[in-house]
Amino acid sequence: MAFSPENRAGTLSGILFVAIFAAAATFIAGLGPVKALGLSPLVIGIVMGIFYANTLHNQTPIEWHGGITFSAKKILRFAIVLYGFRLTFQEIIAVGLDGFLVSLVMLSSTLILGSWLGTKIFGMEKDTSILTAAGASVCGAAAVLATEPVLKAEEYKTAVAVSMVVLFGTISMFLYPVLYTTMIEHATGFLHMTAREFGIYVGGTIHEVAQVVAVPASVPGSPKEMADAAVIVKMTRVIMIAPMLIVLGFYLAWEAKRAGGQHGGKTKLVIPWFAVYFIMVAGFNSLHLLPQNLVDIINQIDTFLLTMAMTALGMGTIFSKFKGLGLAPVYTALSMFVWLVVGGFVITKIIVEFL
């Protein structure tokens, strides 16, 4: 259905409204104390959006809602595609087979474990369980955002997942440097890790990219190889989001077909094409055809678009929708956190030493 001039104006006003919030979130995230905590504009944006949704939401002109929804859906997909400019295939090759396997094993195991625990043990519904598991297993808030369109989940479910990522990702950011300096660095035998091994462990188990960057920087006198290994392994996890979403799309279609097969209905396979385009952009970026300063500008624009999407999702999050969830999301996220910290250490040691 075509938009009338009035509808178009309202949609544009809604997009501009979200952009103003995103600009404010970007400014706040750049302030010294906030930046020191490793909080990205995405996190600030959703917090601001949620605050607005539960205070002044009724004051929003109804005509603007289309723009807010556009920001949460269409701009989100475009931003995920542009996220490919943060990666190159060369970076994946550079980390080596051990770093790749740690990423693959931790992503797969955390996604399966979190989804199963959330639905079967702690009684959450499927969408929130998968979103929470995706955030912990891949790359935090960005992974939650990328998974939401595949599930067609409601905004408040996304907000729950993001809040769990923020909580336990932040704990990880402060916990890992302490673990390294007090236990791992001076340990002997199985508990000891070299700087590179610890970098692989950090990159393979911590939620957000910014948090991964912050950990080696928080270790006094840490060598460059620790930070390099951590970031590259983390970016390997990030690029795995595309095949993960494609596999998830096939799984959801198969599950729907199995559940509805008795009625003889056809089940449509929904392929997240934005994930395919994401891989294509990463492949293009691997050719290094664009100057680095232009790529940096694209990444800054992409961060702002992701902040807009996160802010818009926050604006659709009403606390009354959370009733009935209880502490199930916390228990699920906590279980994955324990697996990432303890299980991730064991997996990293076994893979690195075996290879």
Side-chain angles (χ1 to χ4, degrees):
M1 183 176 68
F3 285 111
S4 66
E6 293 80 7
N7 285 338
R8 284 197 295 268
T11 298
L12 290 174
S13 297
I15 294 172
L16 178 60
F17 181 63
V18 174
I20 292 172
F21 266 71
T26 301
F27 174 78
I28 293 172
L31 297 176
V34 179
K35 191 174 183 179
L37 292 174
L39 295 178
S40 69
L42 281 69
V43 173
I44 304 297
I46 196 171
V47 170
M48 293 176 62
I50 291 174
F51 178 79
Y52 179 84
N54 292 277
T55 53
L56 301 173
H57 182 263
N58 293 332
Q59 306 300 317
T60 307
I62 189 69
E63 296 83 5
W64 293 11
H65 289 179
I68 296 174
T69 301
F70 182 89
S71 300
K73 305 294 182 183
K74 303 296 184 182
I75 289 180
L76 166 62
R77 288 168 172 79
F78 182 63
I80 294 298
V81 172
L82 288 184
Y83 206 86
F85 277 106
R86 302 170 191 263
L87 306 166
T88 66
F89 295 155
Q90 292 92 327
E91 290 175 333
I92 298 176
I93 296 173
V95 77
L97 182 59
D98 51 0
F100 175 80
L101 287 178
V102 169
S103 297
L104 180 61
V105 171
M106 293 311 301
L107 186 154
S108 304
S109 61
T110 305
L111 182 65
I112 294 170
L113 177 66
S115 301
W116 179 78
L117 286 174
T119 54
K120 302 300 183 180
I121 304 300
F122 300 120
M124 280 200 302
E125 45 74 44
K126 182 178 68 177
D127 286 355
T128 308
S129 298
I130 294 177
L131 286 169
T132 305
S137 62
V138 188
C139 55
V144 177
L145 283 173
T147 307
E148 183 267 337
V150 180
L151 296 173
K152 297 182 175 64
E154 298 172 84
E155 286 88 348
Y156 80 94
K157 298 175 182 177
T158 302
V160 170
V162 170
S163 65
M164 294 301 99
V165 165
V166 173
L167 173 61
F168 288 99
T170 302
I171 293 174
S172 299
M173 186 176 64
F174 291 104
L175 174 64
Y176 278 58
V178 174
L179 287 177
Y180 182 76
T181 56
T182 61
M183 295 176 55
I184 297 174
E185 182 180 18
H186 303 293
T188 57
F190 189 79
L191 291 180
H192 174 72
M193 277 184 166
T194 65
R196 179 180 178 274
E197 288 174 342
F198 184 73
I200 293 175
Y201 171 49
V202 168
T205 58
I206 291 184
H207 301 61
E208 295 273 2
V209 175
Q211 294 161 351
V212 168
V213 173
V215 168
S218 302
V219 175
S222 62
K224 184 176 181 293
E225 63 177 339
M226 179 189 292
D228 289 348
V231 172
I232 294 174
V233 170
K234 181 59 183 178
M235 299 316 286
T236 304
R237 281 171 69 196
V238 171
I239 205 170
M240 286 181 183
I241 193 172
M244 182 206 78
L245 294 177
I246 294 171
V247 170
L248 179 61
F250 277 100
Y251 168 75
L252 293 174
W254 171 81
E255 188 180 56
K257 182 178 181 180
R258 185 184 63 171
Q262 58 190 21
H263 303 294
K266 293 184 178 180
T267 303
K268 181 181 178 182
L269 171 63
V270 179
I271 297 177
W273 288 109
F274 67 93
V276 178
Y277 301 145
F278 165 86
I279 294 179
M280 293 172 63
V281 169
F284 173 79
N285 192 46
S286 302
L287 300 176
H288 300 292
L289 298 177
L290 298 181
Q292 186 58 45
N293 62 335
L294 179 56
V295 173
D296 292 340
I297 293 173
I298 292 173
N299 288 337
Q300 290 175 7
I301 294 173
D302 183 50
T303 298
F304 185 77
L305 293 176
L306 285 171
T307 303
M308 284 185 63
M310 191 71 90
T311 302
L313 287 169
M315 289 179 174
T317 302
I318 311 298
F319 284 144
S320 60
K321 296 180 181 179
F322 286 75
K323 291 180 180 178
L325 284 175
L327 292 175
V330 177
Y331 294 149
T332 303
L334 175 61
S335 300
M336 287 187 290
F337 172 72
V338 173
W339 166 245
L340 287 167
V341 175
V342 180
F345 182 92
V346 175
I347 294 295
T348 301
K349 288 294 294 184
I350 290 176
I351 290 178
V352 170
E353 292 190 5
F354 178 76
L355 295 178

